Amino acid sequence: MDYKKTNAPTNTVTRNMVALSSDTGNIYETVCIIAKRANQIAVEMKTDLEKKLQEFASCNDNLEEVFENREQIEISRYYEKLPKPVLIATQEYIEGKVYYKNPEKEKSAIE
């Protein structure tokens, strides 16, 4: 999923925990699924941001002079305005776009 085109809210929203955990039957398992997906999104966002900022990096190692590039500031502001990874992951989970499996449940179902 492209985190730039998500319809996740930019601020926190109160959720119905019973409805949120209806798929797994366990709220803690649901939170774990959302947290793992949020970590994946956060890593993806961080690598994208670093890649874009590296284009503007200067080779100067002078600590006294800090060059502020207008493009760097605009890119940083854009990423700051995006929804947080947890909100994106929660929205993906609600929409059914997150694939997950529990090996323990699968093992007990086989036996």
Side-chain angles (χ1 to χ4, degrees), residues 21-34:
S21 65
S22 63
D23 292 343
T24 60
N26 186 344
I27 189 62
Y28 300 107
E29 188 175 347
T30 303
V31 169
C32 185
I33 292 167
I34 292 172

Side-chain angles (χ1 to χ4, degrees), residues 4-101:
K4 296 175 187 173
K5 297 178 184 176
T6 185
N7 59 349
T10 55
N11 54 4
T12 56
V13 177
T14 304
R15 306 279 184 189
N16 183 351
M17 298 304 285
V18 175
L20 196 63
S21 65
S22 63
D23 292 343
T24 60
N26 186 344
I27 189 62
Y28 300 107
E29 188 175 347
T30 303
V31 169
C32 185
I33 292 167
I34 292 172
K36 287 183 181 185
R37 178 62 183 137
N39 286 339
Q40 292 172 347
I41 294 170
V43 168
E44 183 181 341
M45 289 174 79
K46 184 178 178 183
T47 56
D48 285 349
L49 177 61
E50 287 175 352
K51 190 182 342 176
K52 288 182 181 181
L53 291 179
Q54 283 298 326
E55 296 173 6
F56 303 105
S58 63
C59 297
N60 250 350
D61 287 338
N62 192 353
L63 295 175
E64 294 174 6
E65 295 181 26
V66 176
F67 296 104
E68 292 183 1
N69 194 340
R70 188 86 173 144
E71 290 85 12
Q72 284 178 317
I73 295 170
E74 292 301 319
I75 290 171
S76 296
R77 283 188 182 154
Y78 173 76
Y79 276 88
E80 287 175 0
K81 290 180 183 177
L82 286 175
K84 302 297 180 226
V86 173
L87 297 173
I88 297 171
T90 305
Q91 188 66 32
E92 286 180 359
Y93 182 81
I94 290 171
E95 293 174 358
K97 297 179 180 177
V98 177
Y99 172 76
Y100 60 90
K101 64 180 183 176

